[in-house]
Amino acid sequence: MIIPLPFSQYLRPLRGLIGKCLVVFGIGAAHAGWGQTPGNSVCWQENVRLRQRDFTASPEAGPEPLLAATHAEVRVWSFTTAEQRVVFTVTVRFLKDKSWFDPGGQTVGNSTSVVRNPDRLLAHEQLHFDIAELTARRIRQRHATYQATRTTQPADPLQAALRQAQLREDIQCLLEDRRALDDLYDAETTHGLLPEPQQQWQLRVQRELLALQQYRSRETDCM
């Protein structure tokens, strides 16, 4: 598993939830949101932050009071061109019509502290989007390692097939790890209501994004 510290130590107790991560879809994979267009989504890019008006869905009722929800997709696909060139792409999109922001809505207990400062709530949701980007960078890093192995090892058909199967499984596991990270993030910060854990998570994610800077999303990834 390609989980750099410090998050590997936090995910270890969650491995029972993730399992072996069997692949059921080949190299193409995505979370909910296939078919999203530029008009109803936002591509992750450096120095572009989510705004309240990007959340266009209606608030959803649930068993616990939530003031916002972020839905972001990490889409992975690969294909071979007529010139036998392999194209591998990972995109990260925030889905406007599936995400909602309602700081003046349901309030219980210390939720009122966020209502007085909706920027804190927006920062919490932004970090969910950043965790999606972190997953994309890990996937690109894993694919780069796979490509390097292909060029340095003999072209044995069986070994090549095994390496490709391992790549698919690793990608699926990284996507599952993202879900585990999102859940852990919400649990430790109480959905952004606790300032100190929220700040710690922001520092952790930014540190790991910086460590994988060479695999960042670029504007061309979302064309």
Side-chain angles (χ1 to χ4, degrees):
M1 205 55 32
I2 312 167
I3 308 294
L5 288 173
F7 286 130
S8 58
Q9 61 183 317
Y10 290 90
L11 284 177
R12 203 166 294 128
L14 299 170
R15 291 300 177 197
L17 299 177
I18 296 174
K20 188 170 176 55
C21 305
L22 296 178
V23 177
V24 295
F25 46 67
I27 198 67
H31 291 297
W34 284 82
Q36 292 294 317
T37 61
N40 62 7
S41 66
V42 177
C43 285
W44 194 99
Q45 294 184 50
E46 288 185 303
N47 303 319
V48 175
R49 315 305 288 173
L50 295 176
R51 303 159 297 180
Q52 288 192 36
R53 63 175 177 269
D54 291 326
F55 297 72
T56 62
S58 299
E60 300 174 1
E64 57 180 325
L66 297 178
L67 303 177
T70 290
H71 286 258
E73 68 171 7
V74 178
R75 185 187 299 184
V76 184
W77 75 88
S78 177
F79 62 91
T80 304
T81 67
E83 296 78 21
Q84 298 303 303
R85 184 174 66 89
V86 176
V87 177
F88 181 86
T89 307
V90 186
T91 61
V92 183
R93 288 183 183 272
F94 169 87
L95 311 183
K96 294 182 178 181
D97 55 359
K98 295 182 181 295
S99 304
W100 52 270
F101 192 94
D102 185 28
Q106 306 175 68
T107 60
V108 174
N110 61 354
S111 295
T112 55
S113 63
V114 174
V115 175
R116 296 192 191 102
N117 188 355
D119 288 343
R120 278 178 50 195
L121 179 58
L122 190 60
H124 177 81
E125 298 307 315
Q126 175 67 51
L127 202 66
H128 276 297
F129 197 19
D130 292 342
I131 288 173
E133 166 65 11
L134 177 59
T135 299
R137 294 188 187 191
R138 288 172 172 170
I139 291 172
R140 295 187 190 108
Q141 180 190 44
R142 175 64 184 88
H143 184 259
T145 301
Y146 165 74
Q147 287 292 85
T149 303
R150 287 186 62 195
T151 59
T152 58
Q153 295 189 2
D156 178 87
L158 177 58
Q159 290 300 317
L162 289 174
R163 287 195 296 271
Q164 188 176 65
Q166 185 63 56
L167 172 67
R168 291 170 176 166
E169 182 173 329
D170 288 349
I171 290 173
Q172 176 66 13
C173 285
L174 287 169
L175 291 170
E176 293 294 335
D177 282 349
R178 174 210 165 180
R179 295 171 186 163
L181 275 177
D182 274 330
D183 291 343
L184 185 62
Y185 170 46
D186 277 334
E188 290 194 349
T189 64
T190 312
H191 298 281
L193 299 179
L194 302 178
E196 186 174 345
Q198 176 67 33
Q199 184 179 28
Q200 291 173 352
W201 269 85
Q202 287 175 323
L203 292 174
R204 293 173 194 164
V205 172
Q206 292 306 315
R207 183 165 56 243
E208 296 212 26
L209 286 173
L210 184 59
L212 296 173
Q213 179 73 1
Q214 68 186 99
Y215 303 105
R216 68 188 180 279
S217 292
R218 304 175 189 275
E219 186 176 356
T220 53
D221 291 327
C222 262
M223 298 300 288

